Amino acid sequence: MDLPTVWFVAIAVLWTGYFVLEGFDFGVGMLLPVLGRGPEREADRRVVINAIGPVWDGNEVWLITAIGAMFAAFPAWYAGLLSGFYLPLLLVIVALIGRGVAFEYRGKSDDPRWRARWDAAIVFGSAVPAFTWGLVFANVVRGVELGPDGVVRSGLADLLNPYALVGGITTLALFVLHGAVFLALKTDGPVRRRARAAARAAAPAAAAALFAFLMWTQADHGSPATVVVAAVAVGALLAAAALLARGREGWAFAATAVAVAGTTAALFGALFPAVLPSLLDPAFDLTIAGAASAPYTLGILSWIGAGFLPLVVLYQSWSYWVFRRRVTRAHVS
């Protein structure tokens, strides 16, 4: 493969890593009021938050790296994406900021109303990106009103089309399930039991949404290669539900991770070889070759990526290993 194609694949891998890792973070945040209830409400909510406490901010590094790689390797793609999706991406940024602040500030006061407000910010800051990323990437695959000057003319109303809305619902449901399975794996006691129940309840909706979205993607934008990836993603999600019913939380979490990764791979596969299709005229499509940086720039980036990316993966793997034990009420009392 030439360097532009290599970097397209690399960016797809970075986004896949982000959705797999941050996806369960979003799911955990959305499930906070569902799993933290009853007489021991505050203790259970602390268990839920502590389950992702050591890793959530590290998971966001994948987003920074993915967007930075797009800026360096495909500046025209970066410009079109950030300008054409300005309002949805601004909403994501505001939600992520509010979510990060909420994690840090909810424990600064014993006032229940104080904690309730920050808990609402965690739910909002998790649900908004979970839905919006599906909306954005569905629109990227579908295409936007991109003119010959590279300017995106689509407005917010154009982005709220049926296909993109189904994409947003799919990622929202998929991340809820991913987060519930993660909590079933990472916690014990009442939170674990509620997480398993939440996962069983979320699995049918997530599977139905994923099947509908990927079949729609395949019908309009797919290829023989993407149909295989889409089938793997749906099959992995069904396998996760079966594994969870047998108490195999570890394998169930691996299966939901495969489902998230397969969904992302199917979207990037449907997009290839374009990076931003035009609904006005296929001649205006922004392609890998047309959006890429100069070969010298891509060569330098390749050396930098080859040197630093393994270190990031090793460090993050080490952090997950260190904090691998289950979280219980005893750890927060």
Side-chain angles (χ1 to χ4, degrees), residues 147-321:
D149 52 1
V151 175
V152 177
R153 295 173 172 81
S154 298
L156 181 61
D158 299 316
L159 302 180
L160 300 177
N161 57 81
Y163 173 69
L165 292 174
V166 172
I169 293 170
T170 298
T171 51
L172 184 75
L174 188 57
F175 291 164
V176 167
L177 176 61
H178 197 33
V181 175
F182 174 80
L183 286 173
L185 172 66
K186 195 67 174 62
T187 65
D188 211 344
V191 173
R192 181 187 181 189
R193 292 192 293 271
R194 292 172 190 157
R196 294 182 66 181
R200 288 194 294 268
L210 184 64
F211 178 81
F213 178 60
L214 290 182
M215 291 305 99
W216 195 341
T217 302
Q218 183 63 31
D220 290 351
H221 314 285
S223 66
T226 58
V227 71
V228 175
V229 179
V232 170
V234 174
L237 200 61
L238 297 175
L243 289 164
L244 192 65
R246 296 170 55 189
R248 305 295 295 274
E249 288 102 343
W251 285 107
F253 180 71
T256 56
V258 170
V260 175
T263 301
T264 311
L267 291 176
F268 275 91
L271 186 60
F272 184 86
V275 291
L276 196 60
S278 173
L279 295 175
L280 300 178
D281 191 327
F284 302 155
D285 285 359
L286 194 59
T287 63
I288 292 175
S293 295
Y296 179 79
T297 301
L298 294 178
I300 296 296
L301 289 175
S302 299
W303 284 106
I304 295 173
F308 284 96
L309 186 59
L311 296 178
V312 173
V313 172
L314 286 173
Y315 172 77
Q316 196 160 26
S317 300
W318 174 80
S319 67
Y320 273 91
W321 175 256

Side-chain angles (χ1 to χ4, degrees), residues 95 98-102 115-126:
R99 177 172 171 265
V101 172
R115 291 194 296 264
R117 285 193 291 268
W118 290 118
D119 288 348
I122 292 173
V123 175
F124 176 83
S126 301

Side-chain angles (χ1 to χ4, degrees), residues 90-151:
L90 178 61
L91 186 60
V92 168
I93 292 171
V94 171
L96 291 179
I97 292 173
R99 177 172 171 265
V101 172
F103 282 136
E104 299 295 334
Y105 274 77
R106 78 175 302 276
K108 300 298 183 182
S109 173
D110 289 331
D111 183 0
R113 290 176 298 178
W114 169 274
R115 291 194 296 264
R117 285 193 291 268
W118 290 118
D119 288 348
I122 292 173
V123 175
F124 176 83
S126 301
V128 167
F131 175 83
T132 306
W133 283 128
L135 179 85
V136 167
F137 274 87
N139 273 299
V140 170
V141 172
R142 174 179 177 266
V144 292
E145 294 181 1
L146 183 67
D149 52 1
V151 175

Side-chain angles (χ1 to χ4, degrees), residues 11-23 59 62-63 261 264:
I11 289 169
V13 170
L14 291 171
W15 278 106
T16 300
Y18 172 66
F19 288 137
V20 169
L21 297 176
E22 192 78 325
N59 293 341
W62 289 82
L63 173 62
T264 311

